[in-house]
Amino acid sequence: MRSTCTAALLAASLLIATGAQAAGPCDDFVRKLPNLRRSLCDAAQLQATAARSVKGQTLWMRDVKPEDVRQRVLVLGAIHGDELSSTSVALHWIRLAEETTAPWSQAIHWRFIPALNPDGLLANPPRRVNANGVDLNRNFPTPFWERDAKVYWEKRTRKDPRRWPGTKPLSEPESRFLHQEMQRFKPHLIVSIHAPYGVLDFDGPSVPPSRLGRLYLDQVGIFPGSLGNYGGVHKGVPVVTIELPNAMRTPLDAEMRQMWLDLLRWMTERVPAGAPEASSRTP
């Protein structure tokens, strides 16, 4: 009798866990994030990846993929968990990617990771760092990381705990996941959404965009272990870093759309496109 009850309890727990997983992240996102309606979050149709955060939370992704891919663009939000508006903008942009008409819609494979740092994002209060206290945007394997990241953190930030780069490159499951996605997806462009400095930054080859919406180019420098340094400078993949003006509020919907259109126009002029890829066709 006892074993039967135990089995029933285990089955019930499994059903509850499966149901929670199937429900997706929208309950948490809508409760936490600015300017995010439930209908928009549900329509984003985020898909669970196999990756998990330090605390075991799912890392979610969404692809918007046409028939004939010539460009692959990776869009990231909430590398820093206390920049809530970045995830909201990424979710709004999923809708815009679905609505975009030809010629752009026929050429670009978008891959969205709206919340790379869910542990920081959903903490109360939200935290820049992940659950291990690591700044994920200082944890990428830039050249001489072991020397430069430690010196920069100690000398330039005076051991600011919000900017601790970790014990070694890719020490964190979230940064390892993004690194693996870069290797698998091979993006022609990375767009990383941050806040709250209200500027546009750029690393890598090509001529940077001069503006996206009301954000103007103001390159802020190169940091050991940052995604811009690793992707743009070391790997030669252009990295556009969008610094929204406010971490707790998104721009108006019209402004988010204008930023999107400006990005598309710049990509058409400055980001090289490859030949159509047969492997990108939907079976």
Side-chain angles (χ1 to χ4, degrees), residues 45-96:
Q45 298 180 31
L46 298 175
Q47 302 296 312
T49 70
R52 298 293 182 269
S53 69
V54 171
K55 288 189 172 182
Q57 297 195 72
T58 299
L59 300 185
W60 299 86
M61 180 191 293
R62 172 66 194 281
D63 278 21
V64 180
K65 183 170 62 174
E67 289 293 321
D68 297 302
V69 172
R70 292 178 179 269
Q71 289 178 325
R72 294 179 298 276
V73 183
L74 181 60
V75 181
L76 310 167
I79 290 180
H80 294 143
D82 59 354
E83 298 168 3
L84 277 66
S85 56
S86 67
T87 295
S88 291
V89 168
L91 292 167
H92 279 265
W93 277 12
I94 291 174
R95 182 191 63 189
L96 293 177

Side-chain angles (χ1 to χ4, degrees), residues 11-129:
S13 298
L14 180 61
L15 285 172
I16 291 171
T18 303
Q21 182 69 17
C26 284
D27 286 343
D28 288 331
F29 284 178
V30 172
R31 172 178 54 83
K32 192 81 172 183
L33 300 177
N35 190 17
L36 181 63
R37 300 182 305 278
R38 180 64 191 235
S39 58
L40 186 142
C41 187
D42 287 340
Q45 298 180 31
L46 298 175
Q47 302 296 312
T49 70
R52 298 293 182 269
S53 69
V54 171
K55 288 189 172 182
Q57 297 195 72
T58 299
L59 300 185
W60 299 86
M61 180 191 293
R62 172 66 194 281
D63 278 21
V64 180
K65 183 170 62 174
E67 289 293 321
D68 297 302
V69 172
R70 292 178 179 269
Q71 289 178 325
R72 294 179 298 276
V73 183
L74 181 60
V75 181
L76 310 167
I79 290 180
H80 294 143
D82 59 354
E83 298 168 3
L84 277 66
S85 56
S86 67
T87 295
S88 291
V89 168
L91 292 167
H92 279 265
W93 277 12
I94 291 174
R95 182 191 63 189
L96 293 177
E98 293 178 315
E99 294 175 352
T100 298
T101 56
W104 294 315
S105 62
Q106 297 173 347
I108 304 169
H109 179 177
W110 299 94
R111 176 160 292 177
F112 293 88
I113 304 173
L116 184 67
N117 182 6
D119 293 345
L121 183 75
L122 299 175
N124 191 18
R127 303 171 72 228
R128 174 186 174 98
V129 294

